Amino acid sequence: MTRRFKTLFWVGAGLAVGGTLAALVANELKTSRLQSALWRDLASGANFSVDAGASDAIRFPRNGPYDERLGYHQLPGYIERLKPQGYAVTRQARMSPRLIELQEHGLFAPYREKNQAGLTVRDCRDAALLHTRVPKRAYERFEEVPPLLVSALLFVEDRHLLDAQPLQRNPAIDPERFAKAALEQALRAVGLGQSATGGSTLATQLEKYRHSPQGRTGSVGEKLRQMASASLRAYQDGDDTLARRRQIVVDYLDTVPLAARPGLGEVHGLGDGLWAWYGRDFGEVNRLLADSAEEAAPTDEALRQQAEAFKQALSLMIAQRRPSQHLLGDGAGLARLTDSYLRLMAEAGLITPALRDAALPLPLHLQPPLPPTPRPDFVQRKAASALRTHIATLLDVPRAYDLERLDLEAESSLDGEAQALVAQVLAGLRTPAAAKAAGLYGAHLLDPGADPSPLVYSFTLFERSAGANLLRVQADNIDQPFDVNQGARLDLGSTAKLRTLVSYLELVAELHAGWVDLSPAQLSALAPNPRDPLGAWARQYLLRAKDRRLAPMLEAAMERKYSANPGESFFTGGGLHQFENFERSRNSSSMTVREGFRHSVNLVFIRLMRDLVRHRMFGGASDAERLLKDPADPRRREMLARFADREGSAFLVRFHRKYQRLSATEAEALLLRDLRPSAPRLASVLFTIEPEADDARLDALLVQRLGRGADSPRALGALRSTYANLSLADRGYVARVHPLELWLVGFLRTHPGASLTEVLDASASERQEVYAWLFKTRHKGAQDKRVRELIELDAFAQIHRSWQRVGYPFASLTPSYASAIGASGDRPAALAELMGIIANDGVRLPTQRVGALHFARDTPYETRLEPHNASAERVLPTEVTATLQRALVDVVTDGTARRLKGALTDENGRALEIGGKTGTGDHRYEQTDRGGRVISQRKIDRSATFVFMIGDRYFGTIMAYVHEPYAARYRFTSALPTQLLKSLGPQLLPVLQRNGCGGD
């Protein structure tokens, strides 16, 4: 065999083998026979199930746009955040080993993905309170898509996707486009090509914009990942991929990203795109395009409408390649491309020449003004909005926009039917007819002819269950997003007497616990401070009592008497104050704590609060008495330093508010405006605010303010040497200006725009310097006054901590006896929490607004979390709450809420026992003269509240409130909310007691 023959033989053999391989590859590309078997086998067993408990067979996706938007990527973080808040995983997906293996090899999990998802909040009867879906407009099935749209999409993006043969076609690969793209990429790589077209099919595009980082193809490896993942998804249900290919069309049309529009956010899918970019109704567009299949020739107007709808839809299919460029620009380039495709489609016979000719002249008007969004009914949506805010807090998702795109179902304890009823009733009370029907006109209610429309009503209701307090209703009639139940600090008047009574009975229980085991001799040996009447009473009671149990002692404490006389002045909160009773007929009475609570007598509780404060100041282990008597006690200096810091800070807060927005020149002018000018005063001011000022600057100031300068340079020097070297306190004394005001104006001159925090940080030494006189022992009287104020502050801090233990919502308490009658403010929701503790015999149960949180239903990431093992906490002794319960029932039986006695019945017609506390708040701003006389006043707001418990299941609050400028027109008292509850209760209870929303 010659060498030439051998060469020809091997070349021929090689060509034969190459040809055979090429034929095999070509055949495979046409039939997908081998790859269908490969991908089918790989996808086989890639599934998941959902079972009880947390799963160790789950892997969460990377940060693709779809997985981030629906919350799948963040789900591990949500789970960890929810655990400390009492939630535990009760059900979770279990991925099969094959599915985990595919994910760990970098592929996207193959499962039936959702085109629409969003936040759903359900009530206790499983009815939807809030239901959002993104995108809002979508196709459910392939058959809903007009054939004309299918043809257009395939022509633009993937022409062979729905070819009937082969049945096992791989939608992830279009052989022609892939080969062309590969060749162009190769030529570009060696510098022989300028641009390269993409080889993506619709299937790989779906994988890209859903799961690739930032929705982009960043590398060849990422493209292969997209193709492999799309192939897995295609063959998951078997060899025949036609159904899957049809679903790809639906998925793409429903979810293709189409940029973002201000006011709407990101736009996904053709339906939302038509609305966002052209203002078109999705249903109308589908009807017009479906009509194109009819055989009868359309009218000219019908053809024009059809052509416009088709051109707009086609333009969005084209725009998806560069959505921001095409949709946020002037649209000229998009219009040219769309017209080009119209011509090509007509040449290919996919649209009629008539449709083409009708569409070509029509302009594309992008971003038309959107119709105004209907104003939400905040009254009806108040509870749903509050729940959404609560869920956002649980998950730390601050933007409602992001929260509403999560694939999340939340189950709430709210009773939607009861909520709707109460919201409707409260909203209706703005009309005189509805207010009259509810019995809201009369003595202590609305005056005859009063306009009810400015009044705000709020209502909160909880139901007790075995392990939690379940929120059933949270409503008000404010047609704004603001929630008055949780968002306001209001003067709720005498409801504060309930908090004061709780603190009083707690203190009695504390004294009982400390002394009950002492013998009479040991008790007699105790020497209670004469300034501590509560300690003295407890000692005497235990000395005399035959029954030393706590319950009788608490009952005896309720029988202690106080004067209701308003004639006494009380030094509290740093000043002298007088208080009045609502009913003057009580002024001459001396009554028990029980009677004072029943009839809500102010002076009884002012004096009771004084006793509480005095015990915290001088009772127990306190040695405040020695601190006041001994001027050498080193703790006095510490307390005086605290006083200087506290009072100096308070002045600086006020001065900073006065000067913070002024320039240096404006601040100086304001400071000098009320100053009676003299050379010493002006020098003291100048050398404080501008220490580097020279004699010429001082002389100019004298000329400006006095009309003449100094007599000589020597006189200027004397002013400088005298006043520049004074202490800050002395310069303030000379100028008759608070020295810290002088200091602040100077500080802001060198630190313009300084924040209050910066001011306070920089002034620590100056605050002490200004009060240096106070530290001198010759001022013992002044020292005693300040030390006593601080001891009182510490006493109020102890009382504040006791209030906080039972739900008081604020970080501080007004340090005044007036806190006993409402001066410190409160919130309806916080009062409801206190009533829940009392109703639950002193145990704080967790408040449940949101129960189960169900993420990613029907996906490999499905996770359900539920409140779990939330611990109940005892915060009050049982004996204390039993005494409180009797006192609350007494208020309804024979006190300020007696109109409710017997007003509500259970399903068997039996009267329900009702207990509660009323409160009327009248918040005024008063101006007084130097003698303390009121010279003007402005009524800021008026409120009336009833915090209640009904039977052994329900508790809550109901409130009426009116703000300025309307507040001055009304004189209603707490009779108004009690009457409203009397009217509302019989309507509400049957709804609450209906099956399907039980509290057990």
Side-chain angles (χ1 to χ4, degrees):
M1 184 180 293
T2 65
R3 178 179 293 179
R4 183 180 179 195
F5 179 79
K6 288 181 179 180
T7 301
L8 290 174
F9 173 81
W10 287 112
V11 169
L15 290 174
V17 171
T20 302
L21 288 174
L24 289 172
V25 170
N27 182 66
E28 175 58 25
L29 290 174
K30 289 181 179 180
T31 65
S32 301
R33 185 176 294 110
L34 295 176
Q35 58 185 307
S36 67
L38 169 66
W39 293 116
R40 182 194 64 218
D41 291 343
L42 281 173
S44 177
N47 50 41
F48 65 93
S49 61
V50 180
D51 289 307
S55 170
D56 58 2
I58 189 169
R59 304 292 184 271
F60 294 99
R62 296 180 304 169
N63 56 338
Y66 176 88
D67 300 307
E68 288 185 332
R69 187 172 69 252
L70 274 65
Y72 304 156
H73 171 68
Q74 303 94 301
L75 192 44
Y78 294 153
I79 294 170
E80 289 306 308
R81 179 174 174 79
L82 288 166
K83 285 179 180 177
Q85 300 180 76
Y87 285 82
V89 174
T90 56
R91 288 181 65 80
Q92 198 167 36
R94 270 74 172 162
M95 292 181 172
S96 67
R98 174 58 59 86
L99 185 55
I100 291 175
E101 181 184 10
L102 292 172
Q103 277 200 278
E104 289 180 345
H105 279 84
L107 299 183
F108 309 133
Y111 67 98
R112 179 69 184 95
E113 294 178 329
K114 301 175 182 180
N115 290 343
Q116 287 181 295
L119 175 65
T120 298
V121 180
R122 301 187 182 278
D123 76 350
C124 59
R125 304 179 198 275
D126 203 37
L129 296 170
L130 181 68
H131 186 67
T132 60
R133 282 295 171 267
V134 178
K136 292 182 179 179
R137 305 156 187 87
Y139 296 109
E140 293 289 335
R141 299 175 297 111
F142 177 79
E143 290 74 16
E144 296 177 7
V145 186
L148 190 57
L149 281 184
V150 176
S151 299
L153 177 63
L154 299 186
F155 186 79
V156 173
E157 292 293 342
D158 198 343
R159 299 185 183 183
H160 300 291
L161 177 66
L162 296 184
D163 287 358
Q165 295 296 327
L167 289 175
Q168 65 268 35
R169 179 183 182 86
N170 186 352
I173 301 175
D174 182 329
E176 296 176 12
R177 294 183 67 183
F178 185 74
K180 180 182 177 184
L183 177 61
E184 290 177 347
Q185 289 284 359
L187 291 173
R188 187 181 182 190
V190 297
L192 298 178
Q194 296 299 316
S195 63
T197 59
S200 295
T201 62
L202 289 180
T204 55
Q205 286 188 55
L206 278 167
E207 302 297 332
K208 176 186 70 174
Y209 69 67
R210 281 183 163 175
H211 303 298
S212 291
Q214 299 181 331
R216 297 177 180 176
T217 305
S219 65
V220 173
E222 189 62 35
K223 171 61 70 178
L224 294 175
R225 186 199 320 274
Q226 295 162 9
M227 295 172 64
S229 299
S231 300
L232 271 175
R233 210 179 299 274
Y235 292 104
Q236 197 170 24
D237 295 326
D239 290 340
D240 186 347
T241 61
L242 182 59
R244 173 61 196 154
R245 285 181 277 142
R246 288 182 171 181
Q247 187 59 44
I248 287 170
V249 171
V250 176
D251 292 348
Y252 186 87
L253 290 173
D254 283 349
T255 63
V256 59
L258 293 171
R261 183 169 178 186
L264 292 178
E266 293 179 340
V267 180
H268 295 272
L270 182 66
D272 281 8
L274 286 165
W275 168 255
W277 300 114
Y278 292 111
R280 296 302 300 265
D281 179 79
F282 189 44
E284 180 193 19
V285 169
N286 285 318
R287 179 182 57 78
L288 289 169
L289 298 183
D291 289 346
S292 68
E294 296 179 359
E295 294 183 3
T299 64
D300 290 345
E301 178 58 22
L303 182 61
R304 189 199 67 79
Q305 292 180 5
Q306 218 174 70
E308 182 180 39
F310 179 67
K311 186 171 185 178
Q312 290 168 341
L314 178 62
S315 72
L316 293 179
M317 295 176 189
I318 297 166
Q320 66 81 24
R321 295 175 179 176
R322 293 183 178 86
S324 296
Q325 175 183 324
H326 287 312
L327 297 173
L328 298 176
D330 60 10
L334 179 61
R336 287 193 297 272
L337 278 173
T338 305
D339 288 346
S340 174
Y341 270 96
L342 285 169
R343 296 185 181 95
L344 291 172
M345 290 183 71
E347 290 175 10
L350 295 175
I351 61 173
T352 64
L355 182 61
R356 175 201 60 199
D357 295 341
L360 283 172
L362 296 175
L364 291 174
H365 296 296
L366 285 167
Q367 303 188 53
L370 295 173
T373 303
R375 189 178 186 276
D377 185 340
F378 290 109
V379 174
Q380 290 294 336
R381 294 184 55 186
K382 190 64 58 82
S385 298
L387 290 171
R388 181 176 61 186
T389 301
H390 183 64
I391 295 167
T393 303
L394 286 174
L395 302 179
D396 191 24
V397 180
R399 293 201 313 167
Y401 176 88
D402 298 322
L403 182 69
E404 292 181 351
R405 281 153 177 76
L406 297 181
D407 184 9
L408 171 60
E409 299 172 31
E411 299 173 8
S412 80
S413 63
L414 209 74
D415 186 328
E417 294 180 31
Q419 174 73 26
L421 169 66
V422 174
Q424 182 180 10
V425 169
L426 297 187
L429 292 176
R430 293 193 181 277
T431 66
K436 184 176 181 181
L440 302 187
Y441 287 94
H444 305 306
L445 304 169
L446 299 179
D447 292 334
D451 179 9
S453 62
L455 268 71
V456 170
Y457 295 96
S458 78
F459 182 76
T460 305
L461 185 77
F462 290 88
E463 183 174 3
R464 295 169 60 195
S465 74
N469 294 326
L470 307 176
L471 178 68
R472 294 304 191 205
V473 179
Q474 182 173 323
D476 61 49
N477 66 340
I478 302 179
D479 196 16
Q480 296 291 337
F482 180 74
D483 183 351
V484 73
N485 283 293
Q486 294 182 302
R489 183 171 190 160
L490 301 173
D491 178 355
L492 300 183
S494 292
T495 56
K497 291 171 186 162
L498 175 57
R499 293 198 183 276
T500 305
L501 183 61
V502 171
S503 293
Y504 171 56
L505 295 177
E506 270 193 296
L507 178 53
V508 172
E510 179 185 316
L511 291 168
H512 176 271
W515 292 348
V516 67
D517 294 326
L518 299 182
S519 67
Q522 290 171 316
L523 277 170
S524 298
L526 294 175
N529 191 302
R531 303 196 205 194
D532 175 23
L534 283 181
W537 172 84
R539 173 176 169 273
Q540 288 300 316
Y541 174 85
L542 289 172
L543 278 170
R544 296 192 307 265
K546 294 181 180 179
D547 185 349
R548 281 191 167 195
R549 289 179 301 122
L550 175 58
M553 187 172 179
L554 293 170
E555 287 301 311
M558 293 294 290
E559 297 303 318
R560 291 183 64 243
K561 286 193 172 184
Y562 286 94
S563 169
N565 191 326
E568 182 181 0
S569 295
F570 299 84
F571 189 85
T572 180
L576 202 62
H577 301 274
Q578 285 191 309
F579 302 97
E580 297 179 351
N581 294 315
F582 178 74
E583 293 184 25
R584 294 186 178 181
S585 61
R586 308 282 180 187
N587 287 354
S588 59
S589 303
S590 177
M591 61 184 67
T592 65
V593 174
R594 189 187 311 279
E595 291 171 322
F597 188 74
R598 177 192 302 150
H599 300 294
S600 202
V601 180
N602 287 346
L603 268 299
V604 170
F605 276 82
I606 291 293
R607 292 184 169 96
L608 179 60
M609 178 62 88
R610 180 174 63 183
D611 280 0
L612 290 173
V613 172
R614 285 178 173 176
H615 177 80
R616 296 303 180 190
M617 290 175 70
F618 302 109
S622 170
D623 60 350
E625 195 72 38
R626 185 164 68 87
L627 189 63
L628 287 169
K629 288 181 178 179
D630 184 4
D633 192 315
R635 292 173 300 164
R636 285 175 69 93
R637 188 169 188 85
E638 295 174 13
M639 296 194 79
L640 292 172
R642 270 180 59 199
F643 177 86
D645 187 74
R646 176 177 174 273
E647 186 169 278
S649 297
F651 277 113
L652 284 169
V653 168
R654 193 172 78 196
F655 298 146
H656 184 264
R657 191 181 302 121
K658 179 178 178 181
Y659 292 103
Q660 62 181 330
R661 293 183 177 86
L662 303 182
S663 66
T665 303
E666 292 169 334
E668 179 181 321
L670 179 60
L671 177 66
L672 296 174
R673 186 182 65 187
D674 297 324
L675 183 77
R676 183 177 296 178
S678 68
R681 290 176 180 173
L682 291 171
S684 295
V685 169
L686 179 64
F687 293 128
T688 305
I689 68 174
E690 196 176 336
E692 72 283 359
D694 56 18
D695 289 352
R697 171 78 171 94
L698 175 59
D699 198 47
L701 181 63
L702 295 176
V703 171
Q704 177 189 356
R705 306 302 298 186
L706 296 175
R708 58 185 175 80
D711 295 335
S712 65
R714 182 176 180 181
L716 283 174
L719 285 172
R720 168 183 291 282
S721 62
T722 301
Y723 298 106
N725 296 318
L726 291 179
S727 69
L728 175 61
D730 288 342
R731 286 198 297 267
Y733 177 78
V734 171
R736 298 296 190 269
V737 177
H738 196 292
L740 289 175
E741 184 172 5
L742 290 177
W743 176 88
L744 177 72
V745 173
F747 181 79
L748 291 178
R749 179 182 288 269
T750 55
H751 301 80
S755 68
L756 178 60
T757 300
E758 292 169 329
V759 167
L760 294 176
D761 288 345
S763 62
S765 61
E766 282 76 10
R767 295 200 296 274
Q768 297 298 314
E769 178 188 345
V770 165
Y771 287 91
W773 64 271
L774 186 59
F775 293 85
K776 298 175 181 178
T777 54
R778 68 174 181 268
H779 297 295
K780 183 177 181 301
Q783 289 180 356
D784 287 348
K785 178 183 176 184
R786 272 97 178 153
V787 169
R788 191 178 296 110
E789 285 183 28
L790 287 177
I791 295 172
E792 185 183 69
L793 279 175
D794 290 341
F796 273 107
Q798 293 182 62
I799 294 170
H800 174 245
R801 287 193 290 273
S802 76
W803 284 29
Q804 281 188 313
R805 280 198 306 273
V806 290
Y808 187 68
F810 302 116
S812 63
L813 193 66
T814 301
S816 164
Y817 301 156
S819 288
I821 58 174
S824 289
D826 217 322
R827 283 181 179 150
L831 280 173
E833 181 181 351
L834 171 59
M835 188 58 76
I837 292 169
I838 296 170
N840 285 306
D841 299 326
V843 174
R844 176 190 280 114
L845 295 177
T847 297
Q848 184 174 308
R849 291 174 172 82
V850 175
L853 292 167
H854 201 140
F855 293 89
R857 186 188 290 274
D858 298 326
T859 75
Y861 320 115
E862 182 170 346
T863 302
R864 179 181 175 87
L865 297 103
E866 297 179 15
H868 185 65
N869 291 336
S871 57
E873 176 191 8
R874 175 162 294 283
V875 292
L876 293 174
T878 305
E879 296 88 346
V880 167
T881 55
T883 304
L884 289 167
Q885 289 167 9
R886 287 190 290 273
L888 292 166
V889 170
D890 191 35
V891 170
V892 175
T893 302
D894 197 30
T896 53
R898 55 188 173 274
R899 70 177 60 234
L900 277 169
K901 183 179 180 181
L904 303 178
T905 59
D906 63 15
E907 53 266 39
N908 298 315
R910 292 189 296 261
L912 290 167
E913 186 175 70
I914 306 172
K917 182 67 189 81
T918 57
T920 303
D922 191 19
H923 185 196
R924 300 168 185 248
Y925 174 78
E926 295 181 342
Q927 281 189 310
T928 58
D929 61 16
R930 291 186 176 181
R933 291 173 300 179
V934 176
I935 56 177
S936 68
Q937 67 175 212
R938 189 175 90 240
K939 187 176 284 191
I940 306 296
D941 57 49
R942 187 172 184 85
S943 68
T945 308
F946 183 56
V947 53
F948 59 84
M949 54 185 184
I950 300 173
D952 59 0
R953 289 178 63 182
Y954 302 108
F955 63 90
T957 57
I958 187 166
M959 183 188 74
Y961 169 81
V962 63
H963 200 271
E964 63 177 345
Y966 309 104
R969 304 178 190 174
Y970 298 89
R971 299 181 300 168
F972 59 80
T973 69
S974 55
L976 188 63
T978 55
Q979 175 60 36
L980 179 55
L981 183 59
K982 181 178 180 179
S983 170
L984 178 62
Q987 305 173 61
L988 179 60
L989 284 176
V991 176
L992 292 168
Q993 293 163 353
R994 196 173 299 156
N995 291 334
C997 213
D1000 46 305

